[in-house]
Every structure is written in structure tokens, then in C-alpha cells.
């Protein structure tokens, strides 16, 4: 018999596996009143179930059971098992020796050579509680016996917590785990060559508590014995916390807390910003380690790059370069004891590292307190070079002038930041290189590169945005990716605004051809405020001078806000959205302008160069609400780029004569655009007020065609009947929406298409209409297949749709999932099987023809009992293209819970049972395949993790059941088809 065991209810289970089950209970509803479907396509990986189970490259399985208790005196001793993936034979068992050792609670790390490492940070070394252990195991032989210094890297002092960088301070229960504090598997770093690195920042070096250690381990043999300076890189002072990159006063905008960074050449770097340099606490250190041999001994200036003043915190950030070198960011570094946060950025060789004290001789540094050099982050260029952003840098007495510095990826950049080596501002508050969009513009699109103001172009060059330059006039500067840009920002090297708060460079969009476009929607056109401008920039030399109609597309009315959105097309051209643009006296008529990606578009927006509205509040190109602050609700989803280079403009607020908010969707040529007033002659339009055509968006299909969703469209007197229309990707769709060109509803509030459109791999699509009514006042729901070349027309009905999958209060309880082979699934856990409420169903649909008619056992996998909720546990897509359905609440007289395999090419139909599913073997509702979790494996097979299955007289346990990706697994869970734990003692209930 093959074994895996965990005791007690989910709320009190110990260890990582118990933690996983506790978290899983947040996603799987506790009962019918909370039921919601969870349809997800999960990617395969080595580590499964939050690192409690690992599948090795050779197919063997490693299973951690930190709650394993062989008897009542050794509760939570823990065990880790290696199983033969073919035969299910138990190869090895690693266990703890005392209560609460929780062996395996830190998870399993799979190494590149196929071996593995087990973390047990709570392991007790005699009287030393929570000393911690990290154990290497062979991928073929495993590791057997009791964890000890003979087979593991271990701590020797209480709370050394070897292999753990997350402190466990106040335990949540008797099992020593505060689930909110757990950070999984960040303490063992696998190297590309098969070796590994262990972080233990709370290790004690004699009387020095939390001195910390980082240990290199051989991936072929492991490392054993007590952590020491002989086998590890160590700190020597209390709270050095070597290997912990989480300082208490981390005020940098762009650092991350990764303690061990693997370089592209296979070596690694250890960040220890809390390391103490003699009398200087938190001076910080960054240490290079050889990936083949590691690094040992005490951290010092002889083996590390270090700070020399209190609070320098060297190593807050480390950025790997493509060539194997790296850059260390230390924005808190001081150039003298009396200074504060001057900042330094240090280039380091990936072959030897950097050693010694940080200084202007080896680093790019600031000169003033609060320069914070490097605070804005390091941007890696495609050329292998890098760019440092320092928005708070002072230019003499000008605070926060800002600087952006190019660094050579092979040699770095050194010295004090200045106009000789950097692009800099000259006035207080210029904030060169910072682009945190203003309150008025923050919802238009994503801020460029997280506010750093650096946009990398396709050709390897870059653009620096500084919208706060010169009291908010703004500037955008092109820079060479091979040499950078230097000097003071000005009209001679940058595109600039001429008025306060022009905020030139609110956004920069990189085009597919290497050129770029600058958005400046608040630009002032002489005396006209917020007219807006969009400027094309050459990707090889940029654009310079003041914005004007001679070099930009501009607005001419107050609040035109030209350039609220820019959409890059696949062919290198672009489209500008200006939904607030004024057409003559019609405020907010809106305009959308095509721009040539090689030359740009210049001059005032008008009907001769743009698609425009003719009425007030037509808001061409705006698909968002206009209530309240209009500009805060404009999104950049109003133009949909098609794969063939063309595009579609959504204008749901367009007015059709006297009919307000009829809506329109307009196709535009990707090589010439579309111009003139929106009308039925050039657009798909609504005819009644409130039709809001295109309000639910436009979905691009792979071939270039597209689908327009208009769930509020009225079918005669049936308001909100809804419509979904296919558009030709090379010519568009024009005229009024009707049953002749669209899939439509026939009853008020059918809201056809309100559930969205799912694109299939075949190029076809599926329309979800959960509110569609089938001859009653209550929603029945419909899912309709549509041809990607011909669409689907006419009224939704059982003849063209899967219908009647919901008839109770769970009208939102259905989802559509596309399969990799082009077919699809409809999951409806709330489906009623006749008078049986919430029996649940999962229906397979052909990607070539769809599936039609009412949901039933003839076309779906269905439940037969009250609250079976088939599919509520989720759908997992396998690498084979098949799928697995989890139904944790399914039950009959002798079983509880079910997991069902389905063919990706034919589906699975009929009632859930032991004939077609893996089912629990006890129907009490507490045991069985309750909270069953499914993980897809890379070979196409899958694993089912369940708990509560009977395990003899000792009480309930946990089971891991493998399923074949081509046929699944059926019948009751048992030792014959599953990995089942050795007998132990159940945790108290």
C-alpha cells in the first residue's frame, strides 16, 4: 500500500499541506448558499498544491505531509515520501523525530537535475526548538530516515529556522503555523546547473541572534551538518539577517525583496541590506556567489559590496542584465555620515562580483541628501545596457530636478550624477524621468513602466517622459540605447510644452515599427486650455521643439483633450482617441484619428482627417460612463486593434438622429483609417434610444474579423433584448443591427451577449447570454456558437443554442471555457435537474458546430441530487487537451465528492457516478473527495488531492490519486489507485 496522511479538519490541520487545504476552503464554497463556479485553465508545473507535492522530471512524486503523527505523543512530526510514478511503489520516507517537527512544512523544491530539496523550518534539534532543516533527496532513490545533521543542513539554536525567511512569531494554533505569515518556497533557490542556495536569515551565530546565513548546496549530493561559516556565507552581528532583503524602513519606490538573485550566467547574488559594518547598523551588503562552488565565510568588504554608514542599506535592489552582469541599487546610501539618502547604483561583474565600499569610484552616486539615486528603478534595455531613474535628484539648489542615467551593461557608469553623464532637470520639481499620471489622467491607460517614465522602443532605444518639467509644461526626450542622453532637458533635445500644466508626455506609446507616439491631452493651444496634442516621434532620432499643429495632431477647443487614448496597430500605424473633442458647437462629439506610423499625423482634428460625431455627447471612441468627472471615466478600450492591422471604434453614446445613445461600431482601415461623420453608411448602428451598440465591447477574432456585443439593443418593443454581430475584418459591418445580421434576443432584458464572447482556437466564437428567457419571466440562460466566418443570425433559441441551464436565483452561475483544441465547455453548477435544485452540469461543445438544445444528461455531465453542484470545484484543462471536472459536493448513499475526466474531443455525458468518476468512499459529507483539488502534470496526466478518506481504525487521512490524461481514473478512492499515508493518529476534532 502506498501512503500519504494528514489528520484533522482543514481549519486545524498543520503544515503546508494543511495550510493549502485551509486556503482551498476559501475558494470552494462551504454550502449551496455560497456556491460559485470556479472554471480555470491551469498550467502544469513541477511543484503542485502550493509545493506540498512535486512531480520530478523522471515522473516520480514527492509528497510532503507535515502533519503526519505516528502516535499521540508525536503529533505533527511530519513526513516526506518519494513514490515511483509508474508503479506507485513507496521509494523512501523522511520523517521527523519529535512532536511539531513538521518535516516538509516549508515545501519541496525541484532542482534542475531532477533531484529535490525539502524544507522543514520548524524541525527541532533536541532542545533547540525550530532550529530548522533543509534536506537534499535523490530523484531516483529519495532520502530515508529521520532528519538529522547526518542527512540535512540544520540549525543548532532555538529559532534558527534554517531554510525559512519568514518569521513565525505568534502561532495560530498548536501546530505552530500562522497561515497569514507563510511565504512559500522563497528560501531555497534552484540554480540552472542543478545546485541550490538556502537562505536562513534568522540563523544565530553564537550569541548573535538573527545573524543570518546563506548556504550553497551541491545538487548531486546535497549539503549536511550544522550551518556555520565553514559551509555558508554568514553574518556576525545580531540582526545582520544575511539573506533577507526586507529592511524595516524600505522607502524605495522600486525595489523587490528577493534575497537571492540568479544571474543569467548561472551564478547568484545575495542581498543583505540589514548587514552591520562594525559600528554602522544596516550598512548593507551584496555578495556574489559562484554557482558551481558557492561562497563561504563572514560577510565583509573583502567578499561583498558594502555600505559604510548607518542606514546605507546597500542592496535594496538587484537587477540582472542579459549578459550575466548585474546592477545594485542602494537609494539610501550616504556619501558622508551627516548626509541622508544620497543614493548609489553600482554595476557589478557577473563573473566575479563587486567588492569593497560603495563610493563614487565604483558607483553612480548622488551629491545631496535625499537625491535617492536609483530610487526610480533600473530599466534593462534590449541592447543589454540599462537606465537608472532618480526623480528626486537635486541640481544644485533645485530639489527634485530629477535625472535619468544610461549605464553600459559591460562596464557600468560611475561618478556623481550630473549633466555630463545624465539627462537632468534644471528646476525644482522637474522630476525628470518620473511619470506618475495626474489625477485627471490616471484612468486613461496604464502609467508607462509603472511611473518610471521610461518607455523602451522596439529598436532598443528609449524615451524619457517628464510631464512635470518646467512647472508642468512637460518634456519627452528620445535617447539612444547604445549611448544614452546627457545634458539639461530643453527644447533643443526634447519635445516640450510651452505653458504651465501642458504636461507633455502624459503617455508614450511604442509602435511596432520602432517609432513612438506622445500623448499630451492637457496641452494648451495658445489661449485654449486642455486642447490636447498627440505627437509622432522618430524611433532613431526622436522629435524636438515645442508642440504645435506643425508637428502634432491638436485640438482647437477648450477641453478637446486630444489624445486621451492611443492604440498601436499591428502594422506599425496607430489610432488616436479624443472622445471629448468638440465638433463646431457640439461639445464632446468625439473624434478618432488614424496616424501613419512612419510619418505621423499633424494639424487640427477635423472631419477631414478623423472619424467624428456630429452631436453633443456622441463621444466617438468612448465606451465608458460619462457621469461626474468625464475625463476620469474615459478608458483606453474604445479602439480595438485587429490582428490583421485594421481596427474598430466603439461609440455606444453616438446619437442616431433623435435617438440618443443608439451607439455605433465603426471599422477602420489600418493603412488609411476612416474619416467623416459616423453614420449607418460607415458603421454598425443602433436605431432606438438606449441601444448602446458596442457598449459591451468588441472582441477580435484570430482571422481579423470581430464581434460586437450590444446587450442593451432593443428588438422592437423588447428593450434590452440584446444583440451580437459579426463584423468583416477587411470591410467592417454597416447599417442597423437586426436579426438579419445579428444574434438577437426577443424578450425584454434577454441581454444577449451580456455574459461575454469567448474566442475559440478554431477562430469561431461562443456567446454567453445568462439572462436569456425561454418563455418565462425568469432567466433560463443560453450559450450560442457562432461561425468565425459567417457569424450567427436570428433569435436565440434551442435550435441554435444550449439553453435552459439555470432557472433559479443562481443566474450568474455559469461560465464558458475554451479548450486548446477549439472545443469548449459550459459549466453551470446551479443547473436544476428537473425538480432537483442545483444539481449542476458541465456541457462539452463542438468548436466546429456548437451544441444545441436543453441541458440534459444526454449532452452533459450532470448531478442528480440536491446541491450536487457538479463543476463547482472548477475545471482543469490538461496538456492533452482533455479536462477534469471537480464536484466536491456531489454525493450519493455511499460516496461523497467526485472528480470526472472528460474527453476534449467528445466530452463526457451522463450522471456522475463511480462508473465515470473518481469518487469518495464515505458519504457522510465530511469525508470523501470533498475539497478535492486537481493539478495538471506536464505529461498530460493529473493528480487529485483529497482529504477525509477513511484510513483504517486510526481515522481519516489524505489521499493523492493519479489520473491518466487520456482516460482518467474511476471508481472509489482506495489504496489500489492512490497514494495513501501510513497509519497514524488522527488530530483531535
Amino acid at each position: 500500500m502506498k501512503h500519504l496522511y494528514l489528520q484533522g479538519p482543514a481549519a486545524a490541520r498543520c503544515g503546508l499541506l494543511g495550510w493549502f487545504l485551509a486556503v482551498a476552503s476559501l475558494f470552494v464554497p462551504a454550502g449551496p448558499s455560497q456556491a460559485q463556479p470556479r472554471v480555470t485553465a491551469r498550467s502544469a508545473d513541477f511543484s503542485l498544491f502550493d509545493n506540498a507535492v512535486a512531480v520530478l522530471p523522471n515522473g516520480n512524486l514527492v509528497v510532503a505531509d507535515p502533519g503526519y503523527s505516528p502516535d499521540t505523543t508525536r503529533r505533527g512530526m511530519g513526513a516526506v515520501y518519494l513514490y515511483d510514478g509508474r508503479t506507485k511503489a513507496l521509494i523512501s520516507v523522511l520523517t521527523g523525530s519529535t512532536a511539531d517537527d513538521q518535516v516538509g512544512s516549508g515545501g519541496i523544491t525541484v532542482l534542475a537535475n531532477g533531484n529535490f530539496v525539502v524544507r522543514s523550518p520548524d524541525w527541532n534539534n533536541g532542545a533547540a526548538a525550530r532550529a530548522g532543516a533543509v534536506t537534499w533527496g535523490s530523484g531516483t532513490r529519495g532520502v530515508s530516515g529521520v532528519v538529522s545533521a547526518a542527512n540535512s543542513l540544520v540549525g543548532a539554536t532555538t529559532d534558527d529556522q534554517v531554510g525559512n525567511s519568514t518569521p513565525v512569531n505568534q502561532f495560530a494554533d498548536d501546530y505552530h503555523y500562522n497561515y497569514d505569515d507563510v511565504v512559500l518556497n522563497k528560501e531555497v533557490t534552484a540554480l540552472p546547473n542543478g545546485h541550490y542556495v538556502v537562505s536562513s536569515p534568522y540563523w544565530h551565530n553564537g550569541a548573535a541572534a538573527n545573524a543570518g546565513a546563506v548556504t550553497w548546496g551541491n545538487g548531486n549530493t546535497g549539503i549536511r551538518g550544522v550551518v556555520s561559516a565553514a559551509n555558508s556565507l554568514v553574518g556576525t552581528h545580531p540582526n545582520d539577517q544575511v539573506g533577507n532583503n526586507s529592511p524595516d524602513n524600505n522607502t524605495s519606490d522600486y525595489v523587490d525583496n528577493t534575497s537571492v538573485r540568479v544571474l543569467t550566467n548561472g551564478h547568484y547574488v545575495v542581498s543583505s541590506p540589514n548587514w552591520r559594518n562594525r559600528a554602522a547598523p544596516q550598512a548593507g551588503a551584496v555578495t556574489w556567489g559562484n554557482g558551481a562552488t558557492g561562497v563561504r565565510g563572514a560577510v565583509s568588504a573583502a567578499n561583498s559590496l558594502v555600505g559604510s554608514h548607518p542606514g546605507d542599506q546597500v542592496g535594496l535592489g538587484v537587477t540582472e542584465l542579459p549578459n550575466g552582469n548585474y546592477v545594485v541599487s542602494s537609494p539610501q546610501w550616504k556619501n558622508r555620515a551627516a548626509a541622508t539618502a544620497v543614493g548609489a547604483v553600482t554595476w557589478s561583474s557577473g563573473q566575479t562580483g563587486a567588492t569593497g565600499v560603495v563610493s563614487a569610484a565604483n558607483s553612480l552616486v548622488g551629491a545631496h541628501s535625499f537625491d535617492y539615486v536609483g530610487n526610480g528603478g533600473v530599466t534593462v534595455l534590449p541592447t543589454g545596457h540599462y537606465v537608472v531613474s532618480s526623480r528626486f535628484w537635486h541640481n544644485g539648489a533645485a530639489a527634485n530636478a530629477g535625472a535619468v542615467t544610461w549605464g553600459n551593461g559591460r562596464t557600468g557608469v560611475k561618478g556623481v550624477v550630473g549633466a555630463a553623464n545624465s539627462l537632468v532637470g534644471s528646476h525644482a520639481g522637474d522630476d525628470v524621468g518620473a511619470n506618475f499620471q495626474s489625477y485627471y489622467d490616471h484612468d486613461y491607460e496604464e502609467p508607462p513602466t509603472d511611473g518610471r517614465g521610461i518607455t523602451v522602443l522596439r529598436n532598443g532605444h528609449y524615451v524619457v517622459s517628464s510631464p512635470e518639467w518646467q512647472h508642468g509644461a512637460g518634456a519627452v526626450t528620445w535617447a539612444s540605447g547604445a549611448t544614452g542622453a546627457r545634458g539639461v532637458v530643453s527644447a533643443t533635445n526634447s519635445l516640450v510644452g510651452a505653458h504651465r500644466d501642458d504636461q507633455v508626455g502624459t503617455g508614450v506609446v511604442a509602435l511596432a515599427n520602432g517609432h513612438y507616439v506622445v500623448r499630451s491631452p492637457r496641452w494648451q493651444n495658445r489661449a485654449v486650455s486642455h486642447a490636447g496634442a498627440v505627437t509622432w516621434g522618430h524611433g532613431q532620432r526622436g522629435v524636438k521643439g515645442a508642440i504645435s499643429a506643425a508637428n502634432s495632431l491638436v485640438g482647437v477647443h477648450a477641453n478637446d483633450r486630444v489624445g486621451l487614448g492611443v492604440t498601436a496597430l499591428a502594422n506599425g500605424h496607430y489610432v488616436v482617441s479624443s472622445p471629448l473633442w468638440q465638433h463646431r458647437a457640439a461639445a464632446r462629439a468625439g473624434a478618432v484619428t488614424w496616424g501613419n506610423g512612419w510619418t505621423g499625423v499633424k494639424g487640427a482634428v477635423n472631419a477631414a482627417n478623423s472619424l467624428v460625431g456630429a452631436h453633443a455627447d456622441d463621444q466617438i471612441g468612448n465606451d465608458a460612463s460619462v457621469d461626474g468627472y468625464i475625463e476620469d471615466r474615459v478608458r483606453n478600450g474604445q479602439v480595438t486593434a485587429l490582428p490583421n492591422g485594421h481596427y474598430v471604434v466603439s461609440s455606444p453614446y453616438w446619437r442616431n438622429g433623435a435617438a440618443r445613445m443608439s451607439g455605433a461600431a465603426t471599422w477602420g482601415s489600418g493603412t488609411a483609417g476612416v474619416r467623416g461623420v459616423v453614420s449607418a453608411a460607415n458603421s454598425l448602428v443602433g436605431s432606438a434610444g438606449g441601444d448602446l451598440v458596442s457598449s459591451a465591447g468588441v472582441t477580435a477574432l484570430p482571422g481579423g474579423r470581430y464581434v460586437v456585443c450590444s446587450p442593451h439593443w432593443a428588438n422592437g418593443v423588447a428593450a434590452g433584448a440584446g444583440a451580437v454581430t459579426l463584423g468583416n475584418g477587411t470591410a467592417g459591418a454597416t447599417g442597423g443591427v437586426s436579426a438579419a445580421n445579428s444574434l438577437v434576443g426577443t424578450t425584454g432584458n434577454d441581454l444577449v451577449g451580456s455574459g461575454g464572447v469567448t474566442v475559440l482556437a478554431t477562430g469561431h466564437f461562443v456567446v454567453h447570454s445568462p439572462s436569456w428567457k425561454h418563455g418565462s419571466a425568469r432567466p433560463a440562460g443560453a450559450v450560442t456558437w457562432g461561425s468565425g466566418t459567417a457569424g450567427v443570425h436570428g433569435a436565440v433559441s434551442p435550435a441554435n443554442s444550449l439553453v435552459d441551464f439555470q432557472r433559479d436565483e443562481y443566474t450568474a452561475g455559469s461560465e464558458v471555457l475554451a479548450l486548446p483544441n477549439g472545443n469548449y465547455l459550459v459549466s453551470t453548477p446551479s443547473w436544476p435537474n428537473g425538480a432537483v435544485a442545483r444539481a449542476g452540469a458541465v456541457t462539452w461543445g463542438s468548436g466546429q458546430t456548437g451544441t444545441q438544445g436543453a441541458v440534459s444528461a444526454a449532452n452533459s455531465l450532470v448531478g442528480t441530487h440536491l446541491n450536487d453542484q457538479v463543476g463547482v470545484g472548477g475545471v482543469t484543462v490538461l496538456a492533452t487537451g482533455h479536462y477534469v471536472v471537480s464536484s466536491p459536493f456531489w454525493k450519493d448513499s455511499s460516496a461523497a465528492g467526485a472528480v470526472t475526466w472528460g474527453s476534449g474531443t467528445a466530452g463526457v455525458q451522463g450522471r456522475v457516478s463511480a462508473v465515470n468518476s473518481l469518487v469518495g468512499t464515505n458519504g457522510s459529507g465530511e469525508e470523501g473527495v470533498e475539497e478535492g483539488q486537481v493539478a495538471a502534470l506536464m505529461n498530460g496526466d493529473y493528480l487529485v488531492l483529497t482529504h477525509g478518506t477513511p484510513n483504517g481504525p486510526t481515522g481519516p487521512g489524505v489521499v493523492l490519486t493519479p489520473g491518466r490524461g487520456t482516460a482518467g481514473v474511476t471508481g472509489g478512492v482506495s489504496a489500489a489507485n492512490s497514494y495513501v499515508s501510513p497509519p497514524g493518529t488522527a488530530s483531535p476534532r
Side-chain angles (χ1 to χ4, degrees), residues 521 529-532 554-564 578-583:
S529 64
H530 296 173
V554 302
V556 295
H557 303 95
N559 292 315
D560 271 353
R561 289 188 177 269
V562 167
L564 283 180
S578 309
L580 305 182
W581 175 80
Q582 181 174 326
H583 189 186

Side-chain angles (χ1 to χ4, degrees), residues 356-518:
V357 176
V358 171
S359 70
N362 60 14
S363 305
L364 176 73
V365 301
H368 306 88
S369 289
F370 306 113
D371 271 354
Y372 286 111
V373 167
N375 173 272
V378 173
T379 301
V380 179
L381 302 177
T383 57
H385 303 308
Y386 62 97
V387 179
V388 179
S389 299
S390 308
R391 62 175 299 217
F392 298 111
W393 176 80
H394 294 53
N395 193 342
N400 301 341
V404 172
T405 313
W406 177 89
N408 189 306
R410 294 182 293 274
T411 58
V413 57
K414 306 171 183 69
V416 178
V417 172
N421 61 13
S422 305
L423 178 72
V424 301
S426 55
H427 300 85
D430 273 353
D431 278 348
V432 167
N435 191 359
F436 294 91
Q437 292 185 337
S438 71
Y439 169 80
Y440 297 102
D441 296 322
H442 69 84
D443 272 347
Y444 299 151
E445 63 176 312
E446 291 297 317
T449 57
D450 299 325
R452 298 185 198 188
I454 307 296
T455 301
V456 179
L457 304 181
R458 297 290 182 91
N459 56 16
H461 301 310
Y462 63 99
V463 178
V464 180
S465 302
S466 309
E468 298 301 325
W469 176 79
Q470 287 279 35
H471 306 291
V476 173
T477 314
W478 176 90
S480 165
T483 59
R486 299 171 179 82
V488 176
V489 173
S490 70
T492 62
N493 62 12
S494 305
L495 177 72
V496 301
H499 305 91
R500 191 185 191 101
D501 291 329
D502 273 354
Q503 293 196 356
V504 168
T506 295
V508 174
V509 177
L511 301 180
N513 56 10
H515 301 308
Y516 63 97
V517 178
V518 180

Side-chain angles (χ1 to χ4, degrees), residues 844-943:
W844 175 90
S846 165
Q848 296 296 335
T849 59
T851 184
Q852 294 81 33
V855 172
S856 70
N859 60 15
S860 306
L861 177 71
V862 302
T864 53
H865 306 92
L866 176 67
N867 294 324
D868 271 352
Q869 301 182 70
V870 167
V872 75
V875 175
T876 301
V877 179
L878 305 178
T880 56
H882 303 306
Y883 62 96
V884 180
V885 179
S886 296
S887 307
F889 298 126
W890 176 86
K891 64 186 74 67
D892 67 12
S893 60
S894 61
V899 173
T900 314
W901 177 90
S903 165
T905 57
V908 56
Q909 293 81 34
R911 301 167 53 180
V912 173
S913 71
V915 174
N916 60 14
S917 305
L918 175 72
V919 301
T921 55
N922 186 300
S924 69
E926 175 72 25
E927 291 84 24
V929 193
E930 294 261 4
E931 296 182 14
Q933 302 294 315
V934 177
L937 305 183
M938 289 184 292
N939 63 0
D941 296 333
Y942 63 99
L943 293 173

